[in-house]
Amino acid sequence: MQVLRPISEKDFAALKTIAIESGHGFTSLPVDDDLLSSKIARSEQSFAKTVAQPKDEGYLFVLEDSDSGEILGTTAIEAAVGMQTPLYHYHLGKTVHHSRTLNVYNTVDILSMCNDYTGASEICTLFLREPFRKGLAGRFLSRSRFNFMALHADRFSDTVIAEMRGVSDEDGHSPFWQWLQEHFFSIEFPQADHLVGLGDKVFISELMPKYPIYANLLSKKAQAVIGQVHEKTKPALRLLEKEGFEHRGYVDLFDAGPTVESRLQNIKTVRETKRGAVRIVKPEELNLTEAQTWSVSNCGLAHFRATFDTQVNWCGNTAAFKVTADIASALQVSEGDEISGFIL
């Protein structure tokens, strides 16, 4: 059984393996022992905190095979971005150059640096290791975050964003960054990307152009990737679009990948999630004639657990979930406890 749970100190080696496997462009997990250790410690502190409103908490989860103990992937939620370190984006807008005298009317795309998402919650760090990218595991990793946020809504903003990885080649070089590097910087994209992952963003405010950039002055290759996602990120983007996330013109400063957003209560998983009491039954007592795969979780915080299986029945008339003993054990719940669930 695959179980999602909060990360702990004992998962350091597995998290480092994931950081190595994720490759270039995955800025939230740089290969740095100290930073990875601090991320785990920060997550443990966030789960343990009493919170009245979202601040600088970060919740990091791992997906574990309950039989082997192997870590299959990870995902995370930032409670409120930009509160300690500025979060920069470019916003793609338009300006008009019009001369009635010359009968000229030109609309030009411009990129303006901003901090518009300060205070928003961010879903991030979703990575499923290559051997386990089959079935519903990826969808489960993505959607379970929204279930957790709905269960603990006071810990998160009403605006939820996701920064999508932009276009880069197999060596980690970004066409968009190459134009910026040529005109404003003297470092390669992987180095800039690594600095951001380490939290060192001072150089952005020091060297980034302060005024809007006319998009038509960029190279053709740079223009072509604005708002586009990396090939490996397309499945994740499709999942978020099905949840109701939209791109509203905000892109990453370095690779021009899109940032998508939604209101928490408008997210499909949040709207479809049901809550009810646990009823532990034998497998033969379940009605599986029209088997559906359910994602189910307990309603805990530091002891949050979630899994997915077909051995689940929702009883709407009694507001209860019928589950097997194995599932109840994986969720660490007993008869009568409240759990949450949605159809994957």
Side-chain angles (χ1 to χ4, degrees), residues 2 63 126 128 132-143 239 308:
Q2 296 181 3
L63 183 64
L126 191 155
L128 188 61
F132 310 106
R133 293 176 189 172
K134 54 189 176 182
L136 297 173
R139 188 184 304 180
F140 170 71
L141 260 186
S142 179
R143 298 186 68 186
L239 278 174
F308 60 99

Side-chain angles (χ1 to χ4, degrees), residues 56-82:
D56 190 42
E57 297 80 35
Y59 304 91
L60 186 58
F61 304 83
V62 289
L63 183 64
E64 181 180 38
D65 184 303
S66 61
D67 294 328
S68 67
E70 186 173 11
I71 301 301
L72 317 180
T74 186
T75 193
I77 312 168
E78 286 293 320
V81 294

Side-chain angles (χ1 to χ4, degrees), residues 90 179-186 207-210 213:
Y90 274 132
W179 185 89
L180 286 173
Q181 178 191 3
E182 180 182 345
H183 292 86
F184 301 100
F185 294 86
S186 300
L207 297 177
M208 274 290 182
K210 304 297 188 297
I213 297 174

